Amino acid sequence: MSRRPRVAPAPPGVNRRIILSFLVSAAGATGFAVTYGLGGQTQWEGVCLAVAFAGLAIGLAIWGRRLVPVGGYVEEHEGFAPPPDEQARTAAALTAPDSPIRRRGLLATLGLALTALGVAALFPLRSLLPWDRARPVRARTDTPWGPGVRLVTADGRPLRPADVPAGTVVGVFPEGATDAGDGPAFAVRLWPERFTRSPSAGHLDGLVVYSVLCTHAGCPVRLYLKGTGRLLCPCHQSSFDLFADARPVAGPAARPLPGLPVEVDADGHLRATGDFTAPPGAGFWSRP
């Protein structure tokens, strides 16, 4: 005993809602690919993926609820192959003008959404391919500093030697890249006669520049003890002796703070003459 499947009449605008859902899904997948390709931002990548999968799910749900035949068959189990008359009715339902798979635009936009998601999924694979196995290490050795880069304050003001009074630590950044994570440094004017080890990056009448990132775990070292010339990291209490080329004298840090070679240009501003003398930040990045 069987019953012919009943096709529920589709309310007006169902096709448009399904197509719109698939287009939203494709837009979300495209947004994910673009965001990832431009460097990635975790929150926006998550939003784009959520939009892509939500649009696909909503479109398929409306399709299945409003356009696919409802009802069912009640029959004795006679095997897994349907009887010929049932196959004929199914074929007729799928090939009829009002068949859910022949509705204009539905399959096309579904294919667009699935294709966009598939292409977007390929972008993260780029990070897994061995095109540049040395990239993490090189990313820590190549910073925004380089010959001719001016030293500026946090608000972008170029720095002059007179802006660094004796015994005062001044935060400096590479011009044009003040938000770079490996770029922050500090300038301090010391007394050259108290140097026990000459600064590896040189100095300008006692003015030296070092990376602000602790070589233990990358925390900013900003606690300056003027009388002793020591710089303290507040995270794990590493201490660096600026009179000995920022050598660690206490705490877990094992490497000196990298120095930055600087000069005074024709306009009287401080400029770097190269990059840091060593990779800034945590020491494990420099291990082979």
Side-chain angles (χ1 to χ4, degrees):
M1 174 179 172
S2 62
R3 186 175 61 197
R4 184 182 182 83
R6 179 173 59 88
V7 179
V14 169
N15 275 28
R16 289 195 299 272
R17 293 204 297 271
I18 298 175
I19 291 174
L20 179 61
S21 298
F22 291 156
L23 291 177
V24 168
S25 176
T30 303
F32 170 81
V34 172
T35 304
Y36 189 92
L38 292 178
Q41 211 285 339
T42 306
Q43 290 82 353
W44 283 113
E45 290 175 357
V47 169
C48 290
L49 282 180
V51 170
F53 284 111
L56 186 63
I58 292 173
L60 291 175
I62 297 175
W63 192 343
R65 177 69 175 171
R66 299 297 185 182
L67 300 182
V68 174
V70 296
Y73 299 96
V74 180
E75 62 180 355
E76 296 294 332
H77 187 275
E78 298 178 353
F80 293 102
D85 61 334
E86 184 178 318
Q87 296 183 36
R89 286 196 300 270
T90 302
L94 293 178
T95 57
D98 59 347
S99 168
I101 66 172
R102 299 188 66 179
R103 301 242 174 188
R104 181 177 301 175
L106 296 189
L107 288 179
T109 51
L110 173 60
L112 175 63
L114 293 177
T115 301
L117 277 171
V119 172
L122 296 177
F123 277 74
L125 294 178
R126 181 184 62 180
S127 303
L128 304 178
L129 297 177
W131 291 337
D132 188 359
R133 295 184 183 276
R135 183 169 54 189
V137 174
R138 197 176 70 236
R140 299 303 299 174
T141 58
D142 295 341
T143 74
W145 293 106
V149 177
R150 287 199 301 186
L151 281 66
V152 299
T153 59
D155 57 2
R157 179 176 58 85
L159 204 69
R160 298 176 181 271
D163 297 328
V164 187
T168 302
V169 170
V170 177
V172 297
F173 303 86
E175 187 175 32
T178 56
D179 58 345
D182 53 359
F186 67 89
V188 60
R189 189 180 296 278
L190 304 172
W191 297 271
E193 61 273 11
R194 294 185 59 182
F195 285 150
T196 58
R197 180 182 296 180
S198 180
S200 58
H203 67 93
L204 298 175
D205 193 23
L207 189 150
V208 292
V209 182
Y210 289 98
S211 169
V212 80
L213 302 180
C214 179
T215 54
H216 169 236
C219 297
V221 286
R222 293 189 180 277
L223 302 180
Y224 179 52
L225 305 178
K226 178 179 176 181
T228 61
R230 301 282 178 89
L231 204 65
L232 180 67
C233 175
C235 292
H236 305 98
Q237 288 70 55
S238 292
S239 181
F240 301 88
D241 186 357
L242 298 183
F243 290 120
D245 194 22
R247 179 175 59 88
V249 292
R255 292 192 303 123
L257 295 175
L260 183 72
V262 296
E263 65 179 3
V264 180
D265 64 14
D267 296 327
H269 297 130
L270 291 170
R271 290 182 182 269
T273 60
D275 206 337
F276 287 119
T277 55
F284 62 84
W285 284 104
S286 62
R287 295 178 183 174

